[in-house]
């Protein structure tokens, strides 16, 4: 098989220390070379370096980024699911069939593809993300199986009928396809919403909702019942909102699902939040912190005790910032304990706990137990109540470094929020080391963004330029759209930050009646840059646009 030959080839080229390491990873995955096996991570190479090595191994062409865009798809007889699982993209090039691969291809699979397509195929190599993007742009012409739901089935609330409906093959397939699409599109949320005579499905990608292919309206009850069974909810209760969770595996990645159902005028809808379990921890340098803000955060992370608070709305990247911070200070000399809901990033060497309110394991209960385990650093996923806040503050005052999050609009608002929760202001003044406020902005696609020099007409037509301090002659960038970014002009997100360091002046300003705006004024006198200022700097460096800056920061 080509797999063993490729193992040995990588060893000979220095891509692996020994073939047994990769072979063990292969066997642990059940010998599956499809999307379930992460070749790049297993070989410790970058995605680009792995593709280069594979192209050398096959002595074939390496497709450049975006090179699959606009090519004639040649795999119509093959199912989309097979191509996605195997990471294959057949295409026609000069009347010849070529097969783009992202991993070593078994001869049996290659032969089966050639038989199904009725002709031999040459091999080219592309990165897995490029193949996924190319497949995602193809319209699926396969006829979908119609849902045959009778009026009696649609109206029934009988437990057995709902279970039978949820286990029907069309419903199972439809929900699986929606979840797979959400994962492949890097979505954070899946929204299933019933309306009069129609079922609307949307996914949130890079912070914005976009429509997705919707199953027939007759499947609505079956889809919701299926979701409820997966999340351990009461499938006969349709009048009250419910919350639950489930865990699935798609493409070799474990996905935690947070399911929230709610009744509306036309039935019952659901929002499914997708949390990628075991995702790689982002380095602190990759978050998008400015030199000043990054320096403050690193300096305060080395403190022996105190509290560091990260604030922002749901989905603003607070957990990612905390995980990067813990990874920065994760050393054998420190004992680090975390309590999270759920555990999104698995960090080697860090003791991580997931809350379980059903058995009494809350944030406050976990935090009380942590204080008896001699930790150096404690991370609390969220300060949700007064009890947790009080315990966290006292832990920060008694020799522990505490990292936590709050839901507030600004960094200064975290101080007033804790005071509102009953924490004494003099205790906060003593324990808080730094407060990080953040939002996420979409990043321009680096393959297709277009430069644009501001003119006086631009400044006159859009007053936002002047309000942000831009002048005539400055070069900014605009989105264009290509296959790599799914024709949105954006791919990925980075944070815009404001970091308040607890200086002597700021500690003196913290009082029981303090206002967030007063604290913000003090922080700015001490050198703080606001999220808007940070966004403008990212705009000038070509990372994002003024539309993104206004979308996430200008309401503050």
């Amino acid at each position: 098989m080509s797999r063993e030959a490729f193992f040995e080839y990588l060893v000979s080229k220095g891509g692996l220390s020994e073939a047994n390491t990769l072979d063990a990873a292969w066997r642990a995955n059940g010998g599956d070379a499809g999307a379930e096996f992460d070749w790049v991570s297993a070989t410790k190479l970058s995605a680009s370096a792995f593709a280069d090595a594979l192209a050398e191994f096959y002595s074939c062409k390496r497709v450049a980024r975006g090179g699959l865009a606009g090519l004639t798809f040649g795999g119509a007889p093959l199912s989309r699911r097979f191509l996605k699982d195997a990471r294959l993209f057949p295409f026609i090039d000069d009347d010849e069939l070529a097969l783009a691969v992202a991993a070593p291809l078994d001869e049996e699979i290659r032969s089966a593809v050639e038989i199904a397509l009725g002709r031999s195929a040459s091999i080219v190599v592309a990165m897995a993300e490029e193949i996924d993007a190319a497949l995602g742009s193809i319209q699926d012409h396969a006829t979908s199986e119609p849902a045959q739901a009778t009026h009696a089935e649609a109206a029934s609330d009988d437990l057995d009928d709902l279970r039978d409906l949820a286990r029907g093959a069309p419903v199972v397939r439809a929900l699986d396809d929606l979840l797979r699409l959400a994962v492949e599109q890097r979505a954070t949320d899946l929204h299933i919403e019933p309306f009069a005579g129609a079922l609307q499905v949307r996914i949130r990608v890079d912070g914005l909702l976009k429509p997705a292919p919707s199953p027939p309206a007759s499947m609505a009850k079956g889809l919701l019942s299926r979701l409820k069974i997966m999340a351990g909810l009461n499938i006969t209760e349709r009048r009250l909102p419910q919350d639950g969770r489930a865990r699935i595996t798609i493409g070799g990645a474990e996905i935690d699902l947070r399911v929230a159902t709610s009744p509306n005028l036309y039935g019952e809808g659901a929002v499914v939040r997708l949390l990628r379990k075991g995702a790689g921890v982002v380095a602190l340098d990759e978050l998008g912190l400015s030199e000043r803000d990054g320096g403050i955060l690193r300096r305060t992370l080395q403190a022996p005790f105190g509290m560091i608070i990260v604030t922002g709305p749901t989905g603003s990247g607070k957990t990612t910032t905390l995980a990067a911070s813990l990874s920065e200070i994760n050393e054998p000399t420190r004992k680090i304990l975390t309590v999270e809901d759920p555990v999104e990033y698995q960090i080697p060497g860090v003791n991580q706990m997931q809350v379980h309110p059903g058995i009494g394991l809350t944030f406050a209960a976990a935090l009380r137990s942590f204080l008896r385990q001699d930790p150096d650093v404690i991370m609390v996923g969220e300060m949700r109540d007064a009890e947790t806040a009080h315990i966290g503050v006292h832990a920060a005052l008694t020799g522990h470094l505490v990292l936590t999050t709050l839901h507030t609009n600004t960094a200064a608002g975290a101080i007033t929020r804790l005071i509102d929760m009953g924490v004494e202001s003099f205790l906060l003044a003593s324990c808080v080391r730094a407060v990080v406020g953040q939002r996420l902005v979409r990043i321009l696609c680096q393959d297709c963004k277009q430069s644009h020099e501001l003119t006086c007409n631009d400044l006159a037509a859009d007053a936002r330029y002047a309000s942000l301090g831009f002048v005539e002659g400055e070069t900014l960038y605009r989105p264009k759209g290509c296959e790599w970014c799914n024709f949105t002009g954006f791919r990925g997100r980075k944070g815009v930050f404001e970091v308040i360091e607890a200086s002597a002046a700021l500690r003196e300003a913290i009082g029981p009646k303090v206002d967030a705006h007063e604290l913000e004024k003090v922080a700015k006198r001490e050198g703080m840059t606001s999220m808007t200022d940070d966004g403008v700097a990212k705009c000038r460096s070509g990372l994002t646009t003024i539309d993104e800056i206004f979308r996430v920061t200008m309401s503050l």
Side-chain angles (χ1 to χ4, degrees):
M1 291 174 63
S2 59
R3 172 177 63 87
E4 286 83 356
F6 185 59
F7 289 178
E8 299 298 337
Y9 173 79
L10 282 177
V11 174
S12 69
K13 299 292 288 186
L16 281 175
S17 58
E18 54 179 281
N20 291 339
T21 303
L22 188 56
D23 189 65
W26 169 280
R27 296 183 188 282
N29 198 64
D32 185 359
E36 299 295 323
F37 184 66
D38 190 346
W39 283 91
V40 174
S41 296
T43 57
K44 310 300 183 187
L45 296 173
S46 68
S48 179
F50 178 85
D52 290 338
L54 189 61
E56 289 181 12
F57 172 72
Y58 277 120
S59 299
C60 69
K61 175 184 173 184
R62 156 77 195 281
V63 179
R65 177 173 288 183
L68 298 179
L71 294 176
T72 303
F73 179 59
L78 301 172
S79 76
R80 284 275 299 282
R81 178 165 292 185
F82 164 75
L83 293 174
K84 285 177 178 292
D85 288 345
R87 291 273 171 81
L88 303 175
F89 182 74
F91 63 93
I92 305 299
D93 185 22
D94 293 332
D95 293 327
E96 297 292 329
L97 179 66
L99 194 61
V101 302
L105 184 64
D106 286 345
E107 289 302 321
E108 293 86 349
I109 295 179
R110 180 175 180 176
S111 298
V113 169
E114 290 177 338
I115 291 171
L117 300 181
R119 57 198 298 189
S120 60
S122 60
I123 298 292
V124 299
V125 172
M127 289 195 295
E129 286 188 342
E130 295 164 5
I131 292 178
D132 288 343
L135 289 171
S137 66
I138 300 167
Q139 295 296 325
D140 191 357
H141 298 295
T143 57
S144 58
E145 188 173 344
Q148 301 296 332
T150 66
H151 177 74
E153 286 176 325
S156 174
D157 281 335
D158 181 81
L159 180 61
D160 291 335
D161 288 346
L162 288 172
R163 282 177 175 163
D164 291 342
L165 193 61
R167 291 169 181 164
V171 168
V172 173
R173 189 180 306 116
L175 184 57
D176 287 350
D177 287 344
L178 288 177
L179 292 172
R180 183 178 291 271
L181 173 68
V183 172
E184 289 170 351
Q185 294 284 323
R186 302 178 293 109
T188 55
D189 301 274
L190 169 67
H191 296 246
I192 302 174
E193 304 159 321
F195 290 98
L199 185 66
Q200 176 176 271
V201 177
R202 294 184 291 175
I203 57 177
R204 190 180 296 278
V205 180
D206 289 339
L208 294 181
L209 285 170
K210 66 180 224 180
S214 301
S218 56
M219 277 192 182
K221 183 175 288 189
L223 287 172
L224 265 293
S225 297
R226 175 77 179 162
L227 268 176
K228 287 179 179 180
I229 289 173
M230 291 171 61
L233 303 178
N234 181 356
I235 63 175
T236 61
E237 179 56 76
R238 301 172 58 202
R239 302 163 300 172
L240 296 173
Q242 297 186 72
D243 295 298
R245 63 186 64 193
R247 182 175 297 173
I248 60 174
T249 301
I250 295 179
E254 280 191 29
I255 311 294
D256 276 323
L257 305 181
R258 308 289 294 275
V259 180
T261 67
S262 63
N264 67 18
L265 191 61
Y266 298 102
E268 195 175 17
V271 177
V272 183
R273 189 173 183 201
L274 296 96
L275 304 169
R276 285 151 183 80
K277 194 174 181 64
V281 178
V282 179
L284 210 55
D285 291 332
E286 299 172 355
L287 294 177
L289 287 158
S290 66
E291 184 176 349
R292 173 197 175 272
D293 293 346
I296 291 174
L297 186 54
R298 282 191 171 85
R299 186 165 61 252
T300 54
L301 283 170
Q302 297 302 324
F305 57 87
M307 180 177 284
I308 299 172
I309 307 169
V310 182
T311 76
T314 300
S316 60
K318 299 186 299 295
T319 302
T320 301
T321 299
L322 285 182
S325 300
L326 289 180
S327 182
E328 180 82 7
I329 60 175
N330 184 19
E331 298 173 355
T333 56
R334 286 190 177 98
K335 178 161 185 174
I336 303 176
L337 302 176
T338 78
V339 54
E340 305 167 64
D341 183 26
V343 176
E344 293 185 43
Y345 295 95
Q346 297 176 16
I347 309 172
V350 174
N351 299 275
Q352 296 174 271
M353 179 188 297
Q354 183 161 317
V355 300
H356 197 326
I359 60 172
L361 183 56
T362 62
F363 280 112
L367 195 47
R368 278 195 299 269
S369 74
F370 283 177
L371 298 179
R372 298 189 292 269
Q373 297 182 37
D374 190 30
D376 297 296
V377 181
I378 296 172
M379 192 269 271
V380 184
E382 183 184 343
M383 291 291 189
R384 289 184 178 174
D385 51 63
E387 184 182 10
T388 306
H390 278 89
I391 299 171
V393 166
H394 284 284
L397 290 167
T398 55
H400 307 90
L401 181 63
V402 178
L403 283 68
T404 189
T405 71
L406 274 175
H407 287 105
T408 61
N409 287 329
T410 63
I415 302 297
T416 56
R417 173 74 179 123
L418 286 171
I419 293 174
D420 289 342
M421 292 171 72
V423 179
E424 292 84 353
S425 59
F426 66 90
L427 295 179
L428 284 177
S430 300
C431 75
V432 171
R433 294 274 181 179
V435 186
V436 180
Q438 68 179 83
R439 295 286 192 281
L440 292 176
V441 294
R442 294 186 296 167
I443 296 302
L444 286 165
C445 175
Q446 299 304 302
D447 283 1
C448 66
K449 67 179 182 180
Q450 295 178 318
S451 61
H452 171 69
E453 187 173 297
L454 289 179
T455 64
C456 59
N457 291 333
D458 293 325
L459 297 175
D462 193 340
R464 296 181 303 175
Y465 288 115
S467 69
L468 293 177
F470 292 106
V471 297
E472 183 180 353
E474 283 196 72
T475 299
L476 300 181
Y477 288 82
R478 294 173 171 173
K480 178 185 178 184
C482 64
E483 187 167 335
W484 180 245
C485 61
N486 203 19
F487 300 99
T488 63
F490 298 90
R491 185 175 176 88
R493 291 187 290 176
K494 277 191 182 296
V496 289
F497 298 89
E498 58 184 26
V499 178
I500 296 178
E501 185 174 18
S503 63
L506 189 84
R507 293 183 193 278
E508 188 176 341
I510 297 176
K513 302 291 186 180
V514 69
D515 181 76
H517 293 295
E518 295 176 19
L519 291 176
E520 207 164 280
K521 289 178 183 177
V522 174
K524 286 183 176 179
R525 286 200 299 269
E526 297 286 306
M528 183 197 84
T529 55
S530 68
M531 281 186 263
T532 302
D533 296 332
D534 191 34
V536 168
K538 286 179 170 60
C539 197
R540 284 194 166 105
S541 64
L543 285 177
T544 190
T545 66
I546 64 164
D547 291 327
E548 283 296 295
I549 303 308
F550 269 81
R551 182 176 69 86
V552 302
T553 70
M554 291 308 289
S555 61
L556 300 179

